[in-house]
Amino acid sequence: MTPNSGTGTSATRRLGVLVIVLVISLALFGLQFSAEDVVQGSTVRIMYVHVPSIWTAYIAFFLTAVCSGVYLSRRQRSLAWDRVAGASAEIGVLFVAVSLVTGSLWGRLTWGTYWVWDARLTSTAFLFITYVGYLAVRRLDGTHRQRARRSSVMALLAVLEIPLVHFSVNLWRSLHQDASVADPNAKVKLDGLMLFSLFLGLVTFTLLFVWLVLHRQRTMLLEDSFADRGLDVAIAERRNEAGVQ
């Protein structure tokens, strides 16, 4: 995920165009073509953003854990793995925030309140706070290698929260709706166009995530390179001072 050639940049640009087309298509299907729910009416359209956003956050945090595990397991530890892990976590935090906001709006319209201390909502908020902490750990002073080691360990621990969040509806009494698409025994059935719009949202958000990670990890590479050059300059100045003295 670290293309350095012009071909890689061109592919990323084409992916960006595809994402734009998919976002426009999702807006049309979600807001215009798909039917209203028989119970929730137009409120159900929030689902086309809410569900894909938490799905994408799960993917992001799993990728962060995988890249962190690969970094720790290799003898020749490439910081490229750490940069992808960090970029993925940043974007994952963004998508969890979107999920929390859209969930709060949906809750206000269906439950009459923006927030309740429900198992799913509380565990999702805790997941958000955990990965904000992960990003804070990445900003602590130290070398790139030190940053990679400590953040990799934290990522492998933090990812264990995802099953807790996902299955919280089944583990505890919850106001949140059970899975209605992945569960073949679910009582809730979606209209064909609603199901297609939801699937389109999952594909769109996933490709958007990939596009954002590609760009963000390149930016992080530039930041690391700039920091390394700054360190080299500082060392050279110190050596010059020692030579003068």
Side-chain angles (χ1 to χ4, degrees):
M1 300 185 72
T2 56
N4 296 316
S5 64
T7 303
T9 303
S10 177
T12 306
R13 189 177 296 114
R14 288 195 294 270
L15 177 60
V17 173
L18 175 60
V19 168
I20 292 173
V21 173
L22 288 174
V23 168
I24 295 172
S25 301
L26 177 60
L28 290 174
F29 276 94
L31 297 176
Q32 184 66 34
F33 300 149
S34 66
E36 294 184 356
D37 184 70
V38 293
V39 177
Q40 300 184 44
S42 291
T43 302
V44 76
R45 301 184 192 280
I46 298 176
M47 171 180 67
Y48 304 131
V49 175
H50 178 69
V51 174
S53 61
I54 193 62
W55 157 268
T56 308
Y58 288 167
I59 293 176
F61 296 149
F62 273 120
L63 179 60
T64 296
V66 169
C67 291
S68 298
V70 172
Y71 175 82
L72 291 176
S73 65
R74 295 291 184 91
R75 291 184 178 180
Q76 300 295 330
R77 294 176 176 177
S78 172
L79 286 172
W81 293 106
D82 174 66
R83 286 190 290 269
V84 173
S88 183
E90 287 183 4
I91 298 163
V93 166
L94 173 63
F95 278 109
V96 172
V98 172
S99 178
L100 287 170
V101 170
T102 54
S104 295
L105 294 174
W106 203 353
R108 179 64 179 85
L109 295 171
T110 56
W111 301 337
T113 181
Y114 288 106
W115 185 265
V116 292
W117 292 105
D118 175 81
R120 171 60 65 83
L121 275 66
T122 304
S123 58
T124 303
F126 189 69
L127 182 71
F128 174 76
I129 294 171
T130 299
Y131 277 92
V132 169
Y134 167 87
L135 297 181
V137 167
R138 293 185 63 86
R139 294 293 181 180
L140 295 176
D141 292 336
T143 65
H144 301 327
R145 299 286 178 186
Q146 290 173 332
R147 175 197 70 194
R149 283 195 301 271
R150 65 190 175 218
S151 59
S152 293
V153 172
M154 184 172 181
L156 293 175
L157 294 174
V159 75
L160 298 177
E161 292 182 26
I162 293 180
L164 183 67
V165 175
H166 185 71
F167 294 108
S168 59
V169 175
N170 305 112
L171 294 174
W172 296 285
R173 182 177 300 174
S174 174
L175 292 174
H176 197 280
Q177 178 180 311
D178 293 343
S180 56
V181 177
D183 185 1
N185 299 317
K187 298 179 181 179
V188 179
K189 301 297 181 183
L190 294 180
D191 172 77
L193 205 52
M194 293 173 67
L195 184 61
F196 174 80
S197 299
L198 180 58
F199 177 75
L200 179 62
L202 296 176
V203 173
T204 300
F205 276 53
T206 301
L207 292 179
L208 174 61
F209 161 72
V210 173
W211 183 76
L212 290 172
V213 168
L214 288 171
H215 279 284
R216 180 56 185 144
Q217 61 89 26
R218 287 172 182 161
T219 303
M220 295 174 76
L221 174 59
L222 294 176
E223 291 173 353
D224 286 352
S225 299
F226 179 79
D228 290 338
R229 284 197 296 271
L231 180 61
D232 291 340
V233 171
I235 292 174
E237 290 177 349
R238 290 293 185 183
R239 286 177 177 172
N240 290 335
E241 290 175 2
V244 171
Q245 293 175 356

